[in-house]
Amino acid sequence: MKNIILSMVCAFCLPLAMFAQQLKQPFYYYKGDKVMLEYNTKHIFVSSTDLAKLKMLNPGTSKVLSSTNVYSGNASKTLTQPENYKVSNPNRFSQEITISEKEMSVAQYYDHINSLKDKNNQLIVAPFFKSNRTDKIGLSNFFYVKLKHQDDFENLTGLIEENNLELIGHNIFMPLWFTISVTPESKDALHMANMFYETGLFEAAEPDLMTENKILSAEDKVLSTEDKMDFMPNDTYFANQWSLKNTGQNGGTIGIDINAEQAWDRETGSPSIIVAVVDHGFSRTHPDLINNNVGSGYDTKLNSTPARVRGPHGTACAGIIAGQGNNGQGITGVAYNASLMSISNTLVSTPNSRQGRANGINWAVNNGAHIISNSWFSTVQTQLLDDAITNALNNGRGGLGCIVVFAAGNDNGAVNYPANSNPGIITVGAMSPCGQRKSPTSCDGEGWGSNFGAQLDVVAPGVLMPTTDRQGSAGYNTNGVGDYANRDYTNDFNGTSSACPIVAGVAALVLSVNPSLTRQQVTNIIEKSAQKTRTDLYNYGTSSARPNGTWNNEMGYGLVDALQAVSLAEDCATTLDITGTVTGELTYHAGSYLNSNQELTTSSDITYRAGNRITLEAGFRSNGESSMSIAACGSGNKQIGTTDSEPISYIYKGNTASKIMSKTASTTELRCFPNPFQSNTTLEYELKQDEQVLLIVTGVNNRVVRVLVDEQQSAGIQSVDFEGGELPSGIYFAKLKFGNTLNTARLLIAK
C-alpha cells in the first residue's frame, strides 16, 4: 500500500505534490504533527445534485456491495452567499459505498472510481483514506478556502470559474472562510484544495475530510438514528456521585474527589454564568435541566434555533456540569445553579459537519457563553475549526476570553485533536475512583484508558458517573431497572466525555465567584489548585513548559479541586476600614486586614472575617453580638464558634474592653518565607513577653492540617519550620494565637 505523507514542514511543497499525483495519490497539507495516510480501498464517497443518480448505485450493481443511507444536505443554509451569487443546486445528496470486502491495489481502486465516473457523468466520486487513528476518512465534495484579505475575493472567483467549481458561500461567523464545491467536471476536493493553497494567494485551503468525530464516552452507546449515519444536596443519586463526594463507592478510595461540598459552602454557580455544551444537544425539558438552561440554543445542521436533541451524549454531559442541585430528585451538577446553553450537532462523519461544529462554537461566543465544553474529537485537524476555537479563546466574553474545555480521548495513548491543538484549551483526562489515571488496569475494572501526554492539563473523575439521561427510550438507560428505574438518569456514563464537563463545571464556579477574570487567569487557577493525587504512583516535577506548579505526564497538574479553585478566584479588598453605628445582621470580609471602629447596637449581629488580621480599634463598642475569625476571602457567612476543631476562631460578645485588641497592642506580623513554596517554608513572629502560643496550619475550609506550636514560649523572635511537602497545591493559612492576638499568614503551596 502506497502512502500519502501529510507534513506541516512541507506546507504544500510542490515537488512532493507532483510526485503524489504521478502515483495517482493526491497530496494534502496537514497542519500539525506528521501524519501518514493510506487509501482505504474498500469504500468510496459519491455525491450528486440528482437523487435519482445515487439511487442507481444499489447493492449488486456496478460492483456495489453495500451503501449507507443517502444523506441530504443543504450547506448553503449554513453559509452567507456573496452579493450577486446564487447557488444553482443547493440540495446535494451523498452516501458512502462499499465496493470491496478486502483491500485492493491503488491502481485497481482508481480504475473503479474512474469507471463509476465514466458510467455516470453526473456523479462526484472521491476516495476514502485511513490513518493510525481511524480506518475511515472520507473526502466530500467540499473544500474550504480562507482569504488573506477581503479584497482577494476576485482571486477566488477567478479560480473557481477557471476550474469548473461552484461557490457555495462564506462562513456566517468568519467571513474570510469560503466553502466551494467540486463538480463532476472538476478534480476532487483534495486536489483542488492543494492547488488553491499552492497559488500563494490564500491564507489557507483544506478539503472537507469526513472523519469519525467521536463522542468520548468510553463505551459505544446507542446513537440517534435521526441522521442515519451519544453541603449535602437532597438529590436522589447524590450518594452515588463519587466525583463530588468519594465515600468509597465502586471500590474507590475515600476522599479522592473534587471537594465539591466544601466549595458549595462558598459558591454553587451563578445563573449569569453560561456553559455552552457543544454536543448532541441536551433535553431542555429534563426535570434536572429545565430550570438551568438559557435561551433556545442553536442547531448547527439547520443553522437555526432552537437546538435539537440528536443523541443522548449531550444530555449526560450537561447534567454533570449543571444538573439542578438540592431539588429532591436525580443528580447534582458541579455548578448546580449555573446556566447551560445547548449547541446541537450530529457528531457524525457527513459533508460539511466540521464547519457545523465551528459554527456552533462561534454561535456560542456571539450569544454570551462564558465556557464551552467539548466531549468529542476528530481524527483530522482543520484550520476552520482551529480559527473558531482561537476566536473563542481570544475574543469571547467581550475580550476576556471564553474558557474552552476539551476531552483528551480514550485511546490510552496521545491526546486527541482538537484537545491537542491550542495551548489555550484546558485539556482534561479521566481518573479512576482510586486516584489513578484511568487505564485498562485501574481499579474500576473497565478496559479502556484515558489519553495523556504533553498537552494534558488536569484530570477529573471519568468512570461510573451518575448523570442525566435523554428522556424516553432513546437514552442510555433503556431498561430502567434497579436503583435507576427512572430512565431519565443513568449511572455509568464514562470516558473523558464525563471528565471534561467536571472541569467545565469548576470553571463555572470560578467565574461565578469572580466574573472579571480573564481566560488565562481561570486556566491558571484551575491548574495551580489541582490536587497531586497518588504521589506513590506519579512523580510530579517542574518543567519550564508548565509554569503553574509541578506536573506529570499521565496526570497533568493533578485532580481538579473545586474548593481550592474557588478560593484562588475570590477577590476581596486587601484592607477594609469600617466605622459608624450598625444594626442588623451583617458580614464584613477583607482579603488581608480588617480594621473596625464601629459601634454595634443591641440588635446587631456582625461577622468579621479577614485573611490575615482583625484589629478592633480603641473606639470599637459592642452592645450586640459579633463573631470574628481568620478565613479565606469569600467563605460562607456562617458564624464560627470556638470549638476544639476551630481553635483559632475568636468570638467576642458584649462590651468588655479587656477583650478588645487595640492598634496599640498590635504585634509584629506573622511572616512566611519563601512564599509561595513547594514543600518547606519558615514562619517567624515576635513575642513582646512570655506567652502561651498556638500556631496551626489550616486549609481554606478551616480544617486543621498541622499543629506547629502549642506551648509556652519566651519573649523574642520565634522561628518555626513548616514542611508541607505531602499536602496538595493550594491556599493554606498559618494561624497564630496568643493572648487576645490573632495573626494569620496566607500560604500558597505551588508544586
Side-chain angles (χ1 to χ4, degrees), residues 341-378:
M341 174 189 288
S342 181
I343 308 293
S344 54
N345 185 276
T346 61
L347 296 182
V348 294
S349 179
T350 55
N352 205 41
S353 60
R354 292 186 299 166
Q355 182 161 220
R357 283 184 290 284
N359 287 351
I361 290 172
N362 281 321
W363 192 92
V365 171
N366 291 354
N367 286 271
H370 299 81
I371 300 150
I372 305 176
S373 182
N374 304 271
S375 291
W376 50 270
F377 79 97
S378 175

Side-chain angles (χ1 to χ4, degrees), residues 408-486:
N410 308 326
D411 306 311
N412 203 39
V415 171
N416 285 327
Y417 172 80
N420 63 5
S421 66
N422 191 311
I425 291 170
I426 299 179
T427 299
V428 185
M431 188 194 73
S432 80
C434 302
Q436 310 147 304
R437 175 179 70 85
K438 176 67 196 78
S439 75
T441 60
S442 55
C443 69
D444 50 88
E446 292 194 358
W448 60 275
S450 172
N451 289 357
F452 57 96
Q455 296 89 6
L456 181 66
D457 294 315
V458 291
V459 295
V463 65
L464 300 169
M465 304 277 278
T467 186
T468 47
D469 197 11
R470 185 178 183 181
Q471 294 165 280
S473 60
Y476 294 136
N477 183 7
T478 57
N479 296 323
V481 297
D483 291 340
Y484 286 76
N486 184 343

